[in-house]
């Protein structure tokens, strides 16, 4: 499983806002917290674009670009895998 997400609250809020603008389903809270709803929304978005995106729940360069997000930086959008 993935843990130790290094998103700042502002970055998470930016991701949540971008996901809500996509209107792919249920709107998620724009609270700056990376919870199960945010993860599900990211995976749903990635699944809708699986021809160009890996469905992994992470917002790397490709997912951020597809969401129209810039300036997040790679080092803050990584996660480590445990197990």
């Amino acid at each position: 499983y993935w843990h130790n997400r290094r998103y700042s609250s502002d970055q998470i809020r930016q991701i949540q806002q971008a996901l809500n603008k996509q209107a792919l389903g249920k709107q998620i809270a724009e609270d700056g917290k990376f919870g199960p709803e945010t993860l599900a929304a990211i995976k749903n978005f990635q699944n809708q674009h699986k021809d160009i995106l890996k469905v992994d729940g992470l917002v790397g360069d490709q997912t951020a670009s597809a969401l129209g997000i810039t300036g997040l930086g790679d080092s803050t959008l990584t996660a480590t895998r445990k197990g």
Side-chain angles (χ1 to χ4, degrees):
Y1 63 95
W2 294 98
H3 76 110
N4 193 23
R5 296 186 186 277
R6 298 177 189 202
Y7 304 89
S8 74
S9 293
D10 289 339
Q11 289 168 323
I12 294 169
R13 192 171 292 108
Q14 188 177 5
I15 292 165
Q16 291 166 330
Q17 290 168 349
L19 288 164
N20 282 336
K21 286 180 186 175
Q22 297 295 320
L24 294 174
K26 178 183 172 188
Q27 294 287 292
I28 58 173
E30 296 176 6
D31 58 7
K33 297 178 183 173
F34 196 104
E37 287 184 351
T38 300
L39 178 61
I42 291 168
K43 286 185 174 182
N44 183 38
F45 176 78
Q46 291 170 330
N47 192 52
Q48 295 293 319
H49 302 279
K50 61 185 172 190
D51 54 323
I52 59 169
L53 299 175
K54 182 177 180 181
V55 182
D56 59 7
L58 300 176
V59 182
D61 287 343
Q62 290 181 330
T63 297
S65 178
L67 283 167
I69 301 171
T70 59
L72 292 177
D74 282 340
S75 63
T76 56
L77 294 174
T78 59
T80 56
R81 187 172 180 136
K82 181 178 181 180

